[in-house]
Amino acid sequence: MSSTFSIAGRPIGVGNGKREFCKKALVIRATRSGGVTMAPREKNSVIFPGLSKHGIPHTDLHVRDIVERQSQQASLFGKEDACRRKPEFHPLFLEEAYERCRKICAEYAKTFYLGTLLMTKERQKAIWAIYVWCRRTDELVDGHNAVCMNSSVLDRWEERLQDIFDGRPYDMLDAALTDTVFNFPLDIKPFRDMIEGMRMDTRTCRYENFQELYLYCYYVAGTVGLMSVPIMGIAPESVVSTQSVYNAALYLGVGNQLTNILRDVGEDASRGRVYLPQDELAQFGLCDEDVFSRKVNDRWRDFMKEQITRARFYFKLAEEGASQLNKASRWPVWSSLLLYREILDAIEENDYDNLTKRAYVGMTRKFMMLPLAYSKAKSTPPSFSFPYRI
């Protein structure tokens, strides 16, 4: 990705003539007060120490504020706003910018990209632009130039994000996102929160409990759900609250990140990182040295069974909201949800060995899941009572 990203890229011109600028659960249930309590387990299930504690209050993350702002912007969208005038780009320039985003998405997110092809043209372009920005952000910490990473780089990247939202992009890929944020009611906070997730990666490589890990999952992945809902749109026939749909989108991001963590345990260990709750490892008689030694035993298998159960719980929450999206946007979401759950199945099929093996879902298996995802995407949105409130 280094060929497509430069933190000090050459500025580009904006047509208005002003200022020239050219990535890893504990079962939770949110309360009305904004806290998060833990859902009950079946009898005989191992009880994590964190089950008796409160989780991360969503009020502290201001998620409700994000939903309200994006919803308000949606109701006012299209009206003249003298304080936020859309920048003018040459049509051919924008066409090339989005085409570059499309190619990056097609190369690095093949299955998701196939799903986006069923979306409307404008939604396709917007999702590609958001995907590219998120990927570039992740590359700052995990890419080829990560050795040069420091806090000032992320500070500069956040300043650059503000310029994107102010209509002053620095390069062609930034311009695609600038056009997107002026075409859809996107709030800047989820983008800023993702950058904060990258800061967490530079500060720590251990998480004492699930509450800390959940916060990290929100920052690096739950935020993607908050960015995506305004693009995907909510089905006109949906009878559930807007808040419930955003909840489901956030939980899909958390489920995806928890799955990433479980898939990449061995790879992360080779870099000295352990993205697993330390207190839960200890409960099963495990520690970092067991991870680094790459030995799979019964204690590790029992520990992994609980972790997989948690990730599946979040996917179940997400599933309840996926069919509430606009019909033209559901297939890529269902594809992501079902295919990520297949990764969990693959870990089980590897006898829970994610220390020396990487769970892999082959292309044939992926394509076999697409018809099921398509079928679910075409179903009528069910009416459900969503008990998990932000």
Side-chain angles (χ1 to χ4, degrees), residues 61-80:
L61 300 172
H62 302 288
V63 172
R64 186 186 297 276
D65 296 343
I66 295 171
V67 176
E68 290 179 352
R69 284 195 298 270
Q70 291 188 156
S71 299
Q72 290 171 359
Q73 290 176 34
S75 64
L76 298 173
F77 217 64
K79 297 182 180 180
E80 188 67 24

Side-chain angles (χ1 to χ4, degrees), residues 11 14 35 38 47 51 64 67 89 98 122 147-148 186 206 211-212 221 226 248 280 284 347:
V14 176
M38 308 308 167
I47 303 299
L51 280 171
R64 186 186 297 276
V67 176
F89 299 108
Y98 280 118
E122 288 305 309
V147 292
C148 303
L186 289 166
R206 298 292 187 279
Q211 285 74 20
E212 291 184 6
L226 301 181
E280 295 172 17
F284 284 84
I347 294 173

Side-chain angles (χ1 to χ4, degrees), residues 85-324:
R85 192 177 301 278
K86 183 177 180 179
E88 298 176 5
F89 299 108
H90 192 284
L92 292 179
F93 172 81
L94 270 184
E95 183 179 345
E96 183 179 351
Y98 280 118
E99 176 62 13
R100 289 192 184 184
C101 292
R102 184 195 69 79
K103 289 180 177 178
I104 294 171
C105 187
E107 180 177 357
Y108 293 99
K110 293 180 175 61
T111 304
F112 180 77
Y113 171 72
L114 290 175
T116 66
L117 297 182
L118 278 187
M119 299 167 65
T120 64
K121 185 176 181 180
E122 288 305 309
R123 284 176 175 151
Q124 282 178 3
K125 295 191 299 183
I127 287 296
W128 296 337
I130 289 175
Y131 170 83
V132 167
W133 184 87
C134 292
R135 182 172 182 83
R136 295 172 90 187
T137 302
D138 184 69
E139 287 286 309
L140 290 172
V141 174
D142 289 333
H144 297 302
N145 297 321
V147 292
C148 303
M149 169 55 54
N150 56 54
S151 60
S152 64
V153 173
L154 288 172
D155 291 344
R156 180 67 191 93
W157 187 245
E158 188 164 3
E159 292 172 6
R160 181 164 167 169
L161 171 68
Q162 184 64 59
D163 285 335
I164 289 173
F165 271 75
D166 289 341
R168 300 188 297 267
Y170 280 77
D171 65 14
M172 183 171 280
L173 296 179
D174 283 358
L177 184 58
T178 290
D179 189 63
T180 293
V181 302
F182 278 85
N183 288 335
F184 292 90
L186 289 166
D187 187 68
I188 195 172
K189 189 175 187 298
F191 296 84
R192 283 178 171 156
D193 283 351
M194 177 171 280
I195 295 174
E196 183 59 29
M198 300 304 112
R199 289 193 178 97
M200 291 178 70
D201 252 338
T202 65
R203 294 193 299 256
T204 182
C205 56
R206 298 292 187 279
Y207 295 89
E208 290 303 316
N209 50 51
F210 177 68
Q211 285 74 20
E212 291 184 6
L213 183 62
Y214 178 85
L215 182 63
Y216 173 73
C217 290
Y218 161 76
Y219 277 128
V220 300
T223 50
V224 179
L226 301 181
M227 299 173 193
S228 300
V229 171
I231 310 299
M232 301 291 189
I234 299 175
E237 63 271 27
S238 175
V239 295
V240 304
S241 69
T242 299
Q243 190 76 54
S244 295
V245 178
Y246 273 93
N247 288 351
L250 189 158
Y251 292 137
L252 176 57
V254 171
N256 285 349
Q257 189 62 24
L258 290 173
T259 301
N260 285 341
I261 289 171
L262 300 182
R263 180 194 62 197
D264 298 339
V265 170
E267 180 181 331
D268 290 331
S270 67
R271 299 183 298 164
R273 292 180 173 273
V274 179
Y275 290 94
L276 300 167
Q278 294 289 306
D279 59 350
E280 295 172 17
L281 281 169
Q283 184 188 358
F284 284 84
L286 300 167
C287 64
D288 288 354
E289 290 306 314
D290 294 289
V291 178
F292 297 140
S293 68
R294 312 294 183 96
K295 293 181 180 179
V296 178
N297 53 31
D298 288 342
R299 287 177 298 166
W300 179 259
R301 293 185 185 95
D302 290 342
F303 172 72
M304 286 307 304
K305 289 174 184 177
E306 291 291 330
Q307 303 300 314
I308 289 173
T309 296
R310 168 188 290 158
R312 284 182 173 146
F313 176 82
Y314 279 98
F315 285 133
K316 185 63 177 178
L317 293 183
E319 185 175 313
E320 292 178 327
S323 291
Q324 306 299 320

Side-chain angles (χ1 to χ4, degrees), residues 2-18:
S2 58
S3 61
T4 63
F5 167 72
S6 172
I7 194 69
R10 180 183 294 275
I12 60 175
V14 176
N16 59 16
K18 298 178 180 178

